[in-house]
Amino acid sequence: MSIRVFTVLPLLLLSLAATAQNKDGIVRGNVYDKESGEPIIYGNVLLKGADMGTNTDLDGFFSFGNVPPGEYQLQVSYLGYDSTVVDVKVQEKSIVYERIELASQSIDLKTVNVSSRREQARSDVQVSKLRVTPQQIQSLPSAGGDSDIAQYLTVLPGIVVSGDQGGQLYIRGGSPVQNRVLLDGMTIYNPFHSIGLFSVFETEAIRSVDVLTGGFNAEHGGRVSAIVDIKTREGNKKRLSGLVSASPFLAKTMIEGPIKKLSDDGGGSTSFLLTAKHSYLNESSKLFYDYAVDKDFFSFAAGDTSLANVNTSDIGLPYTFTDLYGKLSFVGENGSKFNLFGFNFTDQFDFIGLAKLNWTTTGAGGDFTLIPPNSNIILNGTVAVSDYEVRLQEADGRPRRSSISSFDALLNFTYFGANSQVDYGFNFTGFNTDFSFQNFLGLSFQQRDFTTEVAGYVKYKQKIGNLILEPGMRLHYYASQSEMSIEPRFGLKYNITDWLRFKFAGGRYSQNLISTVNDLDVVNFFVGFLAGPQERLTKPNSNEVVDDRLQRSWHAVGGFEVDLSDQLSINVEPYLKRFTQLININRNKTDEFDPDFITETGEAYGIDFSARYQGPKTYIWATYSLGRVTRDDGVQVYPTIFDRRHNVNILVTRAFGQDRKWEASLRWNLGSGFPFTQTQGFYEQNNFEDLLSSDVLTGNFGLGTLLSDDLNGGRLPYYHRLDASLKRTFKFSKYTSMDINLSITNVYDRENVFFIDRVTNNRVDQLPILPSLGLQFNF
């Protein structure tokens, strides 16, 4: 049945597209920066005479469907560039393509086009969708002066991180494995390094980051909580350029340029982009940040509490990583393009022989966009392979290992109508998991599995006056479970006025991937993966067999957007995520007959407020999140360790001085304390292994702890931290410049508690004050 559905669906949609065109024509094109050949994103495009308007997408592409035959003027504008007007003539059933290049004006090109963003908000549903640009990432005061998406994500509403070292990213109640991170269409299984402050992605190579915190439509699936969709740009199509930078945390370089230049007279181009970064924090921290090393933290992470005599200056912050990424891009004369990319990301955590962890991700692939000259259907797709492997060797000698090798193939179609758009496509994913683990009782858990997933989707967008409707449907087939998941999705937006908009989105979601990281873990550097179980599963704390062996959820998100002025806008979004089935490894397995997996349910609900002010020199971003995240294991309903009830973020960036060569930024975060299970008492831990030589009356044994029956019933103190940065740009010529960035993480040296060792009562804090000076040379 599933094969028939996947075969018939595209034929029906192609028939619909073919009959909808009638005698009208199509006007489409791409808008580029004349200097570099970079696409103009969110540019304003107006077809005068037809009363049609739109914005360019991430590729600078625009399309007007159902244009009556006649003569028109195509007007393109974007803040910071000279406007351009092009005469076009549309004949019956014809397709007119225009490649337009905009010349920059002499004003600051870092200014965001506020009117374009607002027009995009009026024309798209965009519920729980936040788009992040490289300029926004670079405006954040960052550790070591090195801007990174890992640090910027934490200022977005609904997102919390559990700690600076080994912390995990949680999005509106979803744990890391329930959030899919995409790089140019392929899944990245571990996108963040162990230090927690840096990702595997290079900021300067990013074109855009779309964070879908819930209620996403049918084009995305395979996860029950959220999507982070990262797209990289092509290399410079006009000239050789790049950068070199260094800070106490890391050094990086990027070089890009044309192999075949993009000509002003038309034709295609070929370009390349290469990036590399390496962290030497394990060595530099001995010199600059020896005071930041907390022996109690590393002894806890390593499972060893006998580090009192270790000299912290010999330890350093034992993190190092290396990230390599390359991309080769071919862009055709009509906007079609083809990209080849490859990467190698490595990470290592080595603490003086007590615990050693390293992981590696390698991958390669290609993506394409095809714009047929005689059709109003646009095709794009991705084919990619990747391999992730992590190994951990602890002091107790029990090794852990996990690997996942995956293959992704995506094919998407888009049809543009006058006031409508149809998106549909297919996704094939195959992954091979290999996992081995021993628990504290020495019982082993192993899984080697190969499984495939096949999905098809359709999404229809229709504008009816001030109302935008966006229903969708996803069919996701999990081969290892022999299960077809039918997942309806829906979104809408109603533009009440030019400055007030209401919106709603929701749907059903599923996934088959399980993480070795548990929601009860305070810190866990080992991030492994395995496929969903094929064994018998029961409902939480019962013998009743579950309906299927998939993890599932329902989302419902509402809200409204208000434009208080041209510079100031407010967004309010209440949300609910109901996790109807979650699956975890049974790490409390006491004998070989206990199940390997257990189930539970959960809920995440709350409301997010955000305000954005965008002035000529000042940018202000402020958010407040009120939320609650619970799990139900069949015994009790308890808050998760990442249940942060209140979370406030304020980011202020100000450009000043002649030609705005100075930029100052402040970021302040306030969060209520995370839950923890309180200690009820202690006892001597005698396992009675040697009864002949042990004196059970007077012997000294290890200290065990008795925990409260109220799981996560306590709360840590409030967290708050201020970060600041000051950047000065020195301009040497049109293309060469140098940035000096002074940054301070945790300005007032707040002692934010991470956790407290139950046995020793030693308190472990998060990172202290970390000043740094970074240099970056651009050419």
Side-chain angles (χ1 to χ4, degrees):
M1 177 181 176
S2 61
I3 297 177
R4 293 179 181 177
V5 171
F6 290 138
T7 303
V8 173
L9 182 62
L11 296 177
L12 292 175
L13 292 169
L14 285 170
S15 300
L16 173 65
T19 57
Q21 281 188 329
N22 53 61
K23 295 184 179 181
D24 293 339
I26 299 167
V27 178
R28 64 191 184 197
N30 287 83
V31 184
Y32 298 106
D33 182 303
K34 188 174 184 178
E35 191 65 41
S36 66
E38 268 292 289
I40 300 295
I41 302 173
Y42 285 173
N44 293 310
V45 184
L46 180 65
L47 190 63
K48 288 188 172 182
D51 194 25
M52 294 182 179
T54 189
N55 293 102
T56 57
D57 64 10
L58 293 177
D59 295 319
F61 180 77
F62 66 89
S63 180
F64 296 104
N66 301 113
V67 180
E71 296 183 356
Y72 304 92
Q73 282 191 323
L74 193 64
Q75 179 177 301
V76 182
S77 62
Y78 191 73
L79 189 63
Y81 290 82
D82 293 325
S83 298
T84 298
V85 177
V86 177
D87 294 325
V88 295
K89 184 176 182 179
V90 179
Q91 298 177 343
E92 286 188 5
K93 298 183 180 181
S94 68
I95 296 178
V96 180
Y97 177 86
E98 294 288 344
R99 195 187 80 177
I100 300 170
E101 293 187 344
L102 299 185
S104 62
Q105 298 172 345
S106 59
I107 67 172
D108 184 11
L109 297 183
K110 293 182 180 179
T111 304
V112 177
N113 191 336
V114 178
S115 61
S116 294
R117 181 190 289 118
R118 185 157 300 148
E119 182 59 34
Q120 193 80 9
R122 291 170 182 152
S123 58
D124 288 344
V125 173
Q126 290 188 327
V127 180
S128 295
K129 179 179 178 180
L130 297 162
R131 175 156 290 172
V132 180
T133 66
Q135 290 78 15
Q136 290 173 317
I137 300 173
Q138 291 164 353
S139 70
L140 184 74
S142 49
D146 297 294
S147 57
D148 195 279
I149 184 61
Q151 300 171 55
Y152 194 89
L153 286 175
T154 60
V155 308
L156 301 180
I159 298 180
V160 299
V161 64
S162 58
D164 301 328
Q165 304 177 72
Q168 301 289 322
L169 196 72
Y170 302 91
I171 303 179
R172 280 188 178 171
S175 59
V177 72
Q178 295 159 3
N179 308 317
R180 169 164 273 169
V181 179
L182 300 170
L183 176 63
D184 291 327
M186 72 175 299
T187 302
I188 303 296
Y189 291 94
N190 192 358
F192 304 111
H193 289 294
S194 296
I195 183 62
L197 300 173
F198 299 100
S199 71
V200 300
F201 311 111
E202 182 52 58
T203 301
E204 283 78 5
I206 291 175
R207 172 167 291 164
S208 70
V209 181
D210 286 338
V211 183
L212 310 173
T213 58
F216 45 91
N217 216 302
E219 68 269 31
H220 293 294
R223 293 297 185 274
V224 295
S225 183
I227 304 291
V228 179
D229 189 4
I230 299 173
K231 290 184 169 57
T232 59
R233 60 182 181 85
E234 295 92 26
N236 195 313
K237 303 178 182 68
K238 294 293 186 75
R239 64 178 185 86
L240 187 69
S241 61
L243 64 87
V244 178
S245 75
S247 75
F249 282 67
L250 57 85
K252 65 182 179 182
T253 184
M254 181 181 73
I255 186 168
E256 57 179 319
I259 298 174
K260 177 187 176 183
K261 287 186 178 182
L262 181 64
S263 172
D264 295 338
D265 301 327
S269 68
T270 305
S271 62
F272 72 92
L273 184 148
L274 298 172
T275 69
K277 64 182 176 185
H278 175 71
S279 172
Y280 36 71
L281 189 60
N282 57 329
E283 298 297 334
S284 62
S285 59
K286 299 176 184 178
L287 177 63
F288 299 111
Y289 308 120
D290 62 321
Y291 63 89
V293 180
D294 194 321
K295 291 181 289 185
D296 295 319
F297 168 76
F298 293 116
S299 63
F300 177 87
D304 193 308
T305 58
S306 59
L307 304 177
N309 297 322
V310 176
N311 188 348
T312 57
S313 63
D314 296 331
I315 302 174
L317 293 169
Y319 305 100
T320 182
F321 58 82
T322 302
D323 297 330
L324 304 174
Y325 178 82
K327 187 173 186 177
L328 185 63
S329 302
F330 306 87
V331 179
E333 184 175 8
N334 71 335
S336 297
K337 65 177 184 177
F338 175 62
N339 299 306
L340 294 172
F341 57 85
F343 55 83
N344 181 264
F345 308 136
T346 62
D347 184 280
Q348 183 171 310
F349 166 88
D350 190 358
F351 186 62
I352 58 172
L354 295 175
K356 183 176 182 179
L357 177 141
N358 60 77
W359 60 257
T360 301
T361 298
T362 57
D367 63 77
F368 70 92
T369 298
L370 179 62
I371 305 176
N374 298 313
S375 172
N376 199 23
I377 296 178
I378 310 302
L379 294 81
N380 68 81
T382 300
V383 177
V385 294
S386 69
D387 182 75
Y388 167 78
E389 182 174 6
V390 58
R391 294 177 180 270
L392 173 65
Q393 185 71 44
E394 295 183 291
D396 56 15
R398 293 198 302 262
R400 300 187 199 180
R401 178 185 176 277
S402 178
S403 66
I404 180 168
S405 302
S406 68
F407 172 82
D408 290 290
L410 299 85
L411 184 60
N412 304 303
F413 302 82
T414 301
Y415 167 77
F416 296 93
N419 293 302
S420 63
Q421 180 176 321
V422 179
D423 294 275
Y424 59 97
F426 309 93
N427 178 205
F428 174 84
T429 300
F431 59 87
N432 183 43
T433 57
D434 186 354
F435 173 73
S436 60
F437 163 76
Q438 279 187 344
N439 69 3
F440 65 98
L441 293 176
L443 295 175
S444 297
F445 178 95
Q446 284 189 320
Q447 185 200 70
R448 290 184 176 90
D449 197 6
F450 176 78
T451 185
T452 57
E453 300 176 10
V454 182
Y457 77 91
V458 58
K459 181 179 71 173
Y460 178 70
K461 176 183 175 182
Q462 178 66 55
K463 185 176 181 181
I464 307 172
N466 293 329
L467 178 65
I468 304 171
L469 298 175
E470 201 171 71
M473 176 64 73
R474 184 178 184 89
L475 304 177
H476 203 123
Y477 180 72
Y478 297 92
S480 64
Q481 307 294 346
S482 299
E483 185 74 28
M484 170 71 80
S485 180
I486 301 175
E487 301 173 7
R489 313 282 175 84
F490 183 73
L492 69 84
K493 176 171 285 185
Y494 185 66
N495 294 281
I496 297 178
T497 67
D498 286 342
W499 53 270
L500 177 61
R501 301 172 290 276
F502 280 89
K503 55 187 178 180
F504 172 82
R508 189 188 193 210
Y509 305 88
S510 66
Q511 76 175 70
N512 191 39
L513 190 69
I514 298 174
S515 172
T516 62
V517 178
N518 191 280
D519 287 350
L520 298 176
D521 290 333
V522 176
V523 57
N524 195 327
F525 293 98
F526 182 84
V527 181
F529 300 94
L530 58 161
Q534 300 180 36
E535 64 182 54
R536 177 179 180 269
L537 282 179
T538 60
K539 294 183 178 181
N541 196 37
S542 77
N543 293 320
E544 184 181 353
V545 179
V546 299
D547 296 329
D548 59 54
R549 295 182 293 267
L550 295 176
Q551 300 185 79
R552 294 189 179 277
S553 68
W554 287 89
H555 297 186
V557 188
F560 61 89
E561 304 164 353
V562 184
D563 301 326
L564 298 180
S565 69
D566 289 340
Q567 290 79 33
L568 179 62
S569 61
I570 293 175
N571 183 67
V572 179
E573 286 188 357
Y575 65 90
L576 169 66
K577 292 181 181 178
R578 182 158 292 167
F579 301 99
T580 55
Q581 182 163 283
L582 299 174
I583 303 173
N584 293 314
I585 297 175
N586 184 9
R587 296 192 296 180
N588 294 321
K589 182 176 181 177
T590 57
D591 63 56
E592 295 292 343
F593 298 102
D594 285 344
D596 291 330
F597 298 91
I598 57 174
T599 64
E600 59 183 1
T601 60
E603 279 191 344
Y605 55 90
I607 185 168
D608 292 332
F609 301 86
S610 62
R612 182 199 306 268
Y613 174 82
Q614 180 71 62
K617 297 181 180 180
T618 305
Y619 175 76
I620 301 175
W621 170 254
T623 69
Y624 168 69
S625 297
L626 173 65
R628 180 176 174 82
V629 185
T630 61
R631 297 288 188 261
D632 184 354
D633 60 5
V635 177
Q636 62 177 306
V637 177
Y638 64 92
T640 64
I641 58 102
F642 53 91
D643 175 38
R644 173 159 278 171
R645 188 74 70 250
H646 307 281
N647 197 34
V648 177
N649 275 287
I650 300 175
L651 171 63
V652 180
T653 301
R654 173 74 176 179
F656 60 96
Q658 184 179 7
D659 298 328
R660 304 179 190 176
K661 293 179 180 178
W662 290 89
E663 184 178 272
S665 297
L666 291 173
R667 183 263 177 126
W668 186 69
N669 177 219
L670 170 71
S672 56
F674 287 123
F676 72 99
T677 302
Q678 295 169 305
T679 302
Q680 199 169 42
F682 299 93
Y683 66 95
E684 283 195 293
Q685 197 171 27
N686 184 1
N687 56 14
F688 300 101
E689 287 183 348
D690 190 358
L691 293 177
L692 294 178
S693 59
S694 298
D695 189 337
V696 296
L697 298 178
T698 62
N700 292 320
F701 303 100
L703 196 63
T705 57
L706 295 173
L707 301 182
S708 169
D709 292 334
D710 188 10
L711 194 59
N712 288 340
R715 289 274 173 174
L716 294 174
Y718 263 71
Y719 168 99
H720 55 88
R721 193 181 86 186
L722 176 68
D723 301 337
S725 69
L726 180 65
K727 184 171 71 174
R728 173 66 159 90
T729 299
F730 296 89
K731 196 80 171 177
F732 303 124
S733 68
K734 184 177 181 179
Y735 299 122
T736 58
S737 64
M738 183 175 66
D739 297 328
I740 300 178
N741 194 327
L742 173 65
S743 67
I744 303 176
T745 301
N746 198 359
V747 172
Y748 47 79
D749 200 19
R750 162 73 175 180
E751 294 181 346
N752 290 303
V753 62
F754 196 3
F755 59 86
I756 298 175
D757 190 291
R758 298 182 188 275
V759 176
T760 65
N761 203 36
N762 290 330
R763 169 173 164 157
V764 177
D765 288 330
Q766 307 212 41
L767 291 176
I769 182 171
L770 295 176
S772 63
L773 184 68
L775 301 176
Q776 179 169 303
F777 179 73
N778 308 286
F779 61 91

